[in-house]
Amino acid sequence: MTTQSKKNIIPRDEEPFRQLKSVEPFSLFSARDIQLFQEGIHDRLYERFGSHAVTYEGVDGTYFAVWAPNAAFVSVIGDFNGWNGYSHTLFPRWDKSGIWEGFIPGFPEQQLYKYFIRSNSGEELRKGDPFANLWEVRPKTASVTTNLKYKWKDGSWMKNRAAKNALESPFSVYEVHLGSWRRPDLNNHEVFYSYKEITAMLVPYVKEMGFTHIELMPIMEHPFDGSWGYQLTGFYAPTSRYGSPQDFMAMVDAFHHAGIGVILDWVPSHFPYDEHGLYRFDGTHTYEYADMRKGFHPDWNSYVFNYARNEVRSFLLSNALFWLDKFHIDGLRVDAVASMIHLDYSRKAGTWEPNEHGGNENLEAISFLKHLNSTIYERFPDVQTIAEESTSFYGVSRPVFMGGLGFGMKWMMGWMNDTLDYFKKDPLFRKWYHNQITFSIMYAFSENFMLPLSHDEVVHGKSPLIYKMPGDDWQKFANLRLLYSYMFTHPGTKLLFMGGEFGDTKEWNYKSELNWDLLKHSTHAGLQQYVKALNQLYTSEPALYENQFDPNCFEWIHLADQENSILVYARKGIDGKVILVALNMTPVPREEYPIGIPWKHSFREVLNSDAPAWHGSGVVNKGVIKPRPGQFGQPYDIILRLPPLGATILKSV
């Protein structure tokens, strides 16, 4: 034992009755824990595996437990023993669970460590702790002993969270990459703001903009910045790039105090081959499929979790619950679900093996996701799980008892692709693609859809959103305001990637920050204020959210004028209130445009994307708009001014 270790032993009134060995046999596992672990249904492994400060026979120290079923020898190495692989050997459990464990007296917190593993084949590996709650700042790779003690102050939020997170409540999500939202030094991408510094800037901004939730791209520990956090090595640790686990807890706490929910990107689909990570953890394919037709992901040069192995299922299940339990997270956006549930995802013929029924479904992954969602909603009924799933797989957001996967929501990738493709087109030709912008309603209620304009759409040469829009500078901004109007009034919840709210003119770059200087220009400032106004409208009008996944919330009003590329539809509230939305997809203003309606309602314009406040041309509707006897196949007509490349949004009065 080192001098440093001895200093960290808390003095006792009585000396221990014997001199403890360098590693003592000790366990936090019960027989029930082992059973659940091996059945694939243990959801609290983080309370057992990893490193935990405990007191044993009156001596303070650290208990270690790691799963390495093909290991012949496992020890703890670190600064405390000069990284000696033979001085602190863990004990294998007698029950053949593959767990190695032991208590090291005097082992302090904030101490670097790894596991030295000799495989049965003789191969020697030095691995980080899969359950570590803190890691060294990359490029260093050691795990760090720590605790997760924190005094939460979000009791009011947690008590009322069910209402905030309900499917009948507004979800307007601001997607953020913490490292590049703002940077302290634009010329040094190795320097970051801390969690505390980011919190001071980000929380009031998201609150001011009116978003209901923030979604953080993966903040779990990852070795390579260029993976954006999607190649994880520390599944149980918030990245130390920005500070400690408690610092991240304080960030979540601050968002909750501001009335904002926190959603995390969660990646149970794959992991990288870094030598300190999960890949070939004990010299064999411990966490990944051994068959590389299933175990290797060609798109991401990474490895796929073995969903057929119960211990791996317990690892992932516990990981999801860990963030909800220990960090008060309000939702998980599950990454790359399509790649998990399809054996042939991004694989050419002959490079994948069908399942036992001859199909392309990964039955083990499907089973895992069903159990995952069932467990989450049983344990945390006031959170949401959201699937990034790009196929037409049945029932992603339908309950498990109905044959679905059990997610709360699913990203509406078809809407995103069709909408962006439509808006890229010159308005002169949009009349030929009228069905492209209306088709989404054909399937809009087949799932609980979230409408995403995510980070994936503004990278890799795809251009920022503002430059996807055709026309001159004025038309680009008008088109983007029109797109956002359509998005915020279309059935479904919303997600917008950072920078999109003010029309960033460069593609997102994880090494840089958003181009905040653009807000000096009235066009960009106007767009930002319009997104704020859309959030205020969406969150204040129940007709836009209270039954957003029910077909009764939507009605086409005027669909046939494809020659002029005009769409009119209604969003209907439970109380009978109507929000009427008219979209003019061309730069030609339409004066005195008649619209047939089925109600004897008067209307008042509540938002217009062409208003001067947003840098529009000012083609707006003022005063109360009263119905008159219908002449166009409906009992009543109203006469509107339709702004160029604009939206007019009206409310019944």
Side-chain angles (χ1 to χ4, degrees), residues 145-160:
T145 53
T146 190
N147 67 74
L148 295 179
K149 295 176 182 177
Y150 178 78
K151 187 175 181 179
W152 287 92
K153 309 172 190 67
D154 63 349
S156 177
W157 167 269
M158 297 297 285
K159 181 179 179 180
N160 299 299

Side-chain angles (χ1 to χ4, degrees), residues 86-370:
Y86 301 98
S87 62
H88 290 78
T89 306
L90 297 180
F91 297 92
R93 285 185 61 89
W94 59 269
D95 52 18
K96 298 182 180 180
S97 60
I99 298 172
W100 297 73
E101 59 186 349
F103 170 79
I104 300 181
F107 200 107
E109 290 187 355
Q110 303 303 310
Q111 181 87 351
L112 304 181
Y113 74 100
K114 284 186 178 181
Y115 294 115
F116 174 74
I117 300 173
R118 179 182 293 149
S119 173
N120 282 325
S121 66
E123 181 179 2
E124 295 183 348
L125 307 103
R126 290 161 178 81
K127 293 288 188 177
D129 189 340
F131 284 84
N133 299 138
L134 182 64
W135 294 69
E136 286 186 288
V137 179
R138 54 88 181 114
K140 297 179 179 180
T141 59
S143 303
V144 185
T145 53
T146 190
N147 67 74
L148 295 179
K149 295 176 182 177
Y150 178 78
K151 187 175 181 179
W152 287 92
K153 309 172 190 67
D154 63 349
S156 177
W157 167 269
M158 297 297 285
K159 181 179 179 180
N160 299 299
R161 182 170 69 172
K164 294 281 188 177
N165 275 349
L167 294 176
E168 299 80 21
S169 297
F171 260 76
S172 181
V173 181
Y174 187 55
E175 185 189 23
V176 171
H177 179 261
L178 281 184
S180 58
W181 185 71
R182 285 190 184 271
R183 281 190 178 272
D185 185 348
L186 298 184
N187 298 314
N188 186 354
H189 65 267
E190 291 293 323
V191 179
F192 302 97
Y193 284 117
S194 67
Y195 286 120
K196 183 177 181 180
E197 291 168 328
I198 299 169
T199 298
M201 297 180 286
L202 184 57
V203 172
Y205 180 79
V206 176
K207 180 73 171 178
E208 172 67 19
M209 288 299 298
F211 290 98
T212 64
H213 293 73
I214 187 168
E215 180 179 312
L216 300 178
M217 292 171 67
I219 53 84
M220 301 80 178
E221 194 58 80
H222 53 283
F224 177 47
D225 292 11
S227 76
W228 311 338
Y230 291 97
Q231 299 275 16
L232 306 181
T233 49
F235 282 78
Y236 284 82
T239 178
S240 54
R241 287 168 175 80
Y242 318 118
S244 70
Q246 285 78 8
D247 293 334
F248 179 63
M249 290 173 174
M251 170 181 275
V252 175
D253 217 343
F255 273 112
H256 287 172
H257 272 272
I260 298 164
V262 180
I263 300 168
L264 294 188
D265 254 347
W266 184 59
V267 190
S269 49
H270 63 113
F271 55 87
Y273 54 82
D274 296 72
E275 65 179 4
H276 65 286
L278 297 180
Y279 175 59
R280 297 187 72 250
F281 188 78
D282 61 6
T284 62
H285 298 293
T286 315
Y287 285 90
E288 68 274 13
Y289 284 108
D291 184 346
M292 288 298 101
R293 291 175 295 178
K294 296 172 71 173
F296 179 74
H297 201 295
D299 281 359
W300 304 313
N301 195 27
S302 57
Y303 292 85
V304 180
F305 282 104
N306 183 352
Y307 307 108
R309 192 165 195 175
N310 284 342
E311 293 89 344
V312 174
R313 292 165 69 105
S314 287
F315 173 84
L316 290 172
L317 177 65
S318 293
N319 187 239
L321 275 293
F322 168 77
W323 294 102
L324 304 176
D325 179 17
K326 295 298 185 180
F327 289 85
H328 289 200
I329 297 303
D330 305 294
L332 297 174
R333 178 264 194 187
V334 183
D335 182 61
V337 171
S339 76
M340 294 175 64
I341 63 178
H342 293 98
L343 296 168
D344 60 345
Y345 184 89
S346 198
R347 298 178 191 271
K348 297 178 181 179
T351 64
W352 62 279
E353 184 180 27
N355 63 35
E356 61 191 52
H357 305 299
N360 69 338
E361 301 88 0
N362 187 329
L363 301 179
E364 298 117 8
I366 291 170
S367 168
F368 166 71
L369 289 172
K370 288 182 176 183

Side-chain angles (χ1 to χ4, degrees), residues 321-474:
L321 275 293
F322 168 77
W323 294 102
L324 304 176
D325 179 17
K326 295 298 185 180
F327 289 85
H328 289 200
I329 297 303
D330 305 294
L332 297 174
R333 178 264 194 187
V334 183
D335 182 61
V337 171
S339 76
M340 294 175 64
I341 63 178
H342 293 98
L343 296 168
D344 60 345
Y345 184 89
S346 198
R347 298 178 191 271
K348 297 178 181 179
T351 64
W352 62 279
E353 184 180 27
N355 63 35
E356 61 191 52
H357 305 299
N360 69 338
E361 301 88 0
N362 187 329
L363 301 179
E364 298 117 8
I366 291 170
S367 168
F368 166 71
L369 289 172
K370 288 182 176 183
H371 181 68
L372 169 77
N373 284 311
S374 298
T375 304
I376 287 176
Y377 283 112
E378 179 183 358
R379 286 272 310 277
F380 297 93
D382 54 352
V383 305
Q384 292 294 343
T385 59
I386 306 162
E388 186 215 10
E389 207 285 324
S390 55
T391 73
S392 57
F393 189 88
Y394 166 77
V396 172
S397 61
R398 292 293 176 257
V400 172
F401 70 82
M402 293 178 60
L405 293 183
F407 285 93
M409 285 177 265
K410 169 183 173 176
W411 273 21
M412 198 175 187
M413 310 294 277
W415 172 90
M416 178 191 69
N417 292 326
D418 287 347
T419 298
L420 291 178
D421 190 58
Y422 177 87
F423 271 88
K424 289 176 185 177
K425 290 179 169 60
D426 189 311
L428 179 66
F429 305 116
R430 285 177 177 170
K431 61 184 178 182
W432 305 112
Y433 299 92
H434 203 61
N435 65 313
Q436 190 173 27
I437 200 68
T438 62
F439 178 68
S440 62
I441 297 300
M442 296 291 290
Y443 63 94
F445 305 104
S446 62
E447 299 275 5
N448 298 336
F449 279 121
M450 173 175 280
L451 280 55
L453 291 174
S454 73
H455 64 274
D456 278 330
E457 305 315 306
V458 293
V459 291
H460 300 324
K462 294 180 182 179
S463 88
L465 289 177
I466 189 65
Y467 286 156
K468 295 182 194 292
M469 303 295 109
D472 59 22
D473 193 59
W474 187 91

